[in-house]
Amino acid sequence: MAKVNARNPFSGLANIAHWSYFICEFKLSQLFNEFQPIAAIATTPNGVKRLQSLCPTLGATLWVSAACATPGAQVYQGALKEQVAELWPKHRALIFCLATGAVVRLISPLLQDKSVDPAVVVVDEAGKFAISLCSGHQGGADRLTRLIAAQIGATPVITGAANALGYPGVDVLGLPFGWVRGAGDWTGVSATIARGEPVQVRQEVGSTLWQQHLPEGHPFLFDLGESAAKARIWISYSQGQFAPNPEMPQVQWHPRVLWVGVGCERGTPKTAIAAAILQVFQANDLAVEAIAGIATIDIKADEVGLLELCGDRQWPLRTFSAEKLRSQPVPNPSQIVEQEVGTPSVAEAAAISAVNPAVNPNNNTGEKTGRSLLVAKQIFRLEGQPGAVTVAIAVADTEYTGRNGQLLLVGTGPGDLTLMTPGAQMSVTSADVVIGYGLYIDLIKPLFRPGQIIESLPITQERQRAKRAIELANWGLTVAVISSGDSGIYGMAGLVMEELRAQNWDGQIPGVQVFPGITALQAIASRVGTPLMHDFCAISLSDLLTPWPVISQRLIAAAQADFVTALYNPKSQTRTEQIVKAQEIFLQYRHPETPVAIARSVYREDEQITVTTLEKMLETPIDMLTIILIGNQSTGVYHQWMMTPRGYLGFER
Ligand code: SAH
């Protein structure tokens, strides 16, 4: 890879011939990855049409009756009931365009349990409603319903109690963070919440981000001394033993914080390793669900038993060099081990290495609390089996999410939600976290769903916002970073990309998708007429990051070249001179009567729009929420409408 050139920071990237290989394809269907595979089922021509338009985005397979056969759809023969029974166990989501009554009859013999049943969503033929029919929480039908509704402009019908109250469902609470549900009376605790009764939360490990974004009046009590509680949520790595108690139902979530350090002799079978781990967990009342992964020395990276065990349990295997392990202080070093593999500790040192250094995304300071070894090494020799296994356990500050994060860089348009693309709306709805400037967060509030983490930061902290988003995405969350207008036009998308590059991003993880939006220059144009019908350009008057001589040079060039010119960031409380100078420059090249549109808060409640002239433009109040559009030499005004002719046969001046 070429060195980055100081004058042209992008020279190191410029292998243009290969661009088509490393720009990923944009696929809205990525928002639906967690629901795959999805089947869509219709039995009438209108139903087929309705679902046909949805399927490509959803990445769903369309199933239709023989009478409705159409290209691209699978045709089922015989009774729909049998077909649904066949699709049921093979899909994570089923979408019907059928009467809800018919769907209820079709699925009723198939329903087992909300922890295993697929999401079922019903869309009406007119496309007015998307209904979350069953498996709303754990199956994800509520979320899927919201996404489908955003896509087709339908009303999402979600009837779960937690949703109406604006709380995260207790059985999906930890999913964004990769927590695993443990034992407990889930229905009992959910019912307590639905009744509005207090629920005690005893959280020992894992992210507390969810606590910080609960709506007012929520039922959760975090003070353990509080005795009014009618149910309990226990978030820990311990294995709770609950006696059934209808008075005080309890549930357990297990954040994946435990790293199991393993040392073993060559050829130790996976059953022996699994049995050793299980014994340690049982002896210490630890939950196997809380295992983040396995850590060991790099020469064990090809140890078959370990690899098989990790594969079966979907545990990551982290390996460290002897040199790295040697540098880790441990309570129980061994000379024999040192002679064999070059480090006095494998299990303990690897477990500790796997949890450090842990930057904690739960607090914004990146501070480390340095928690670590929980169970010192235990050696197992299993009767009748070859090999020996050493196990040690360390606790990480930050749970392992088991997911690759995503950054969704979203343009929300000028303000009115109808001007935000359905794709952008879906991206916000699907995200675990939404980050943006408070004003824009407020404008898109209707898109949020209960349990989402919303972080609004002041307008001056764009860089911090970008860093925060990347930190959370690196951790495995799906993060929507929002900007008004288009995110890639003086917006957050550029800052996030710059920051990713500064952090040596590999271009793959976290994944990045940019959702375009209507930028302020299009917004103002649409409110005053058709001023952009000929060549135009945009110039930001902010000299915070661009030196004024560069801006001034561009203003001169644009004025000379007769571009219709949009001025972004025209004036702030402290930056007042630039707009005066810009006017002076334009007056040198354009007639004083040239039409100028000035718009503040376009498409927002307090919108103000003025069409004036270049000469008089400074008489209108201008601030940071204002955009200015200066016409070209043939732009004119006709009955209050500003228009630029397509060619140069325009208004006479
Ligand atoms: N990404 C945004 C621009 C951000 S820079 C976009 O594509 O529109 C911020 C500047 O954009 C503001 O100072 C103002 O000049 C302009 N702007 C953004 N939204 C606006 C709106 N609704 N009304 C008027 N100006 C707006």
Side-chain angles (χ1 to χ4, degrees), residues 414-415 440 483-487 489-491 518-521 567-570 599-604 623-627:
Y440 306 138
S483 279
S484 76
D486 186 285
S487 181
I489 298 180
Y490 312 122
I518 293 175
T519 185
L521 107 90
L567 302 178
Y568 283 71
N569 300 308
R600 184 177 192 278
S601 295
V602 189
Y603 289 109
R604 296 180 196 153
D623 64 9
M624 275 304 273
L625 295 176
T626 311
I627 181 158

Side-chain angles (χ1 to χ4, degrees), residues 60-347:
T61 312
L62 179 60
W63 288 88
V64 302
S65 56
C68 296
T70 175
Q74 306 283 327
V75 176
Y76 65 86
Q77 308 291 344
L80 178 57
K81 203 168 181 125
E82 278 152 32
Q83 182 60 37
V84 173
E86 202 181 311
L87 297 173
W88 186 261
K90 296 183 192 151
H91 289 82
R92 288 174 75 177
L94 299 184
I95 299 162
F96 291 89
C97 191
L98 263 179
T100 39
V103 178
V104 170
R105 285 175 212 290
L106 283 167
I107 68 170
S108 63
L110 306 169
L111 292 166
Q112 280 178 38
D113 185 273
K114 61 184 174 187
S115 63
V116 292
D117 290 336
V120 180
V121 178
V122 183
V123 179
D124 68 318
E125 280 194 6
K128 286 193 176 157
F129 301 102
I131 305 166
S132 173
L133 191 68
C134 96
S135 298
H137 287 178
Q138 295 175 39
D142 287 0
R143 263 174 308 134
L144 183 58
T145 298
R146 284 177 194 276
L147 290 179
I148 292 172
Q151 190 187 348
I152 61 176
T155 303
V157 180
I158 294 167
T159 52
N163 179 71
L165 296 166
Y167 312 145
V170 65
D171 52 350
V172 290
L173 189 68
L175 293 187
F177 315 112
W179 301 356
V180 181
R181 272 183 298 270
D185 175 3
W186 294 91
T187 309
V189 177
S190 298
T192 309
I193 294 174
R195 286 195 299 271
E197 293 173 355
V199 175
Q200 186 186 69
V201 177
R202 180 171 156 197
Q203 177 158 13
E204 293 160 356
V205 288
S207 174
T208 54
L209 276 179
W210 71 277
Q211 296 185 9
Q212 295 156 26
H213 298 275
L214 293 168
E216 276 182 32
H218 66 78
F220 302 108
L221 304 173
F222 300 103
D223 178 359
L224 296 183
E226 184 67 61
S227 58
K230 295 277 187 281
R232 181 182 294 143
I233 303 174
W234 184 16
I235 303 165
S236 80
Y237 54 66
S238 303
Q239 181 66 63
Q241 313 290 347
F242 304 137
N245 179 358
E247 302 288 297
M248 180 72 159
Q250 304 197 44
V251 292
Q252 252 201 315
W253 273 105
H254 300 298
R256 297 178 63 183
V257 287
L258 301 182
W259 284 89
V260 184
V262 174
C264 65
E265 283 171 20
R266 204 29 88 200
T268 309
K270 76 169 177 188
T271 45
I273 305 170
I277 293 174
L278 197 63
Q279 274 197 37
V280 178
F281 271 69
Q282 281 173 349
N284 292 279
D285 288 331
L286 300 176
V288 174
E289 291 92 337
I291 294 181
I294 304 289
T296 189
I297 187 165
D298 55 8
I299 53 171
K300 293 279 164 207
D302 59 353
E303 185 66 48
V304 176
L306 265 184
L307 289 173
E308 284 179 357
L309 181 64
C310 288
D312 290 355
R313 300 301 193 97
Q314 295 186 327
W315 288 333
L317 179 66
R318 283 197 188 160
T319 60
F320 301 93
S321 66
E323 194 187 351
K324 160 86 182 143
L325 296 179
R326 211 170 36 230
S327 68
Q328 194 71 65
V330 294
N332 301 298
S334 150
Q335 276 187 355
I336 302 172
V337 174
E338 179 153 31
Q339 279 161 15
E340 268 177 34
V341 292
T343 162
S345 167
V346 172

Side-chain angles (χ1 to χ4, degrees), residues 27-63:
K27 270 194 182 162
L28 212 49
S29 61
Q30 283 183 7
L31 298 179
F32 295 90
N33 277 354
E34 62 181 304
F35 303 104
Q36 301 299 350
I38 306 176
I41 298 135
T43 57
T44 62
N46 280 338
V48 171
K49 268 193 221 144
R50 172 66 50 210
L51 293 186
Q52 224 167 8
S53 63
L54 272 174
C55 281
T57 314
L58 264 65
T61 312
L62 179 60
W63 288 88

Side-chain angles (χ1 to χ4, degrees), residues 541 567 570-571 576-583 617-618 628:
L541 295 192
L567 302 178
K571 184 177 174 185
T576 55
E577 275 310 298
Q578 287 82 353
I579 186 65
V580 179
K581 291 182 189 152
Q583 183 201 31
M617 63 181 260
L618 297 183
I628 298 171

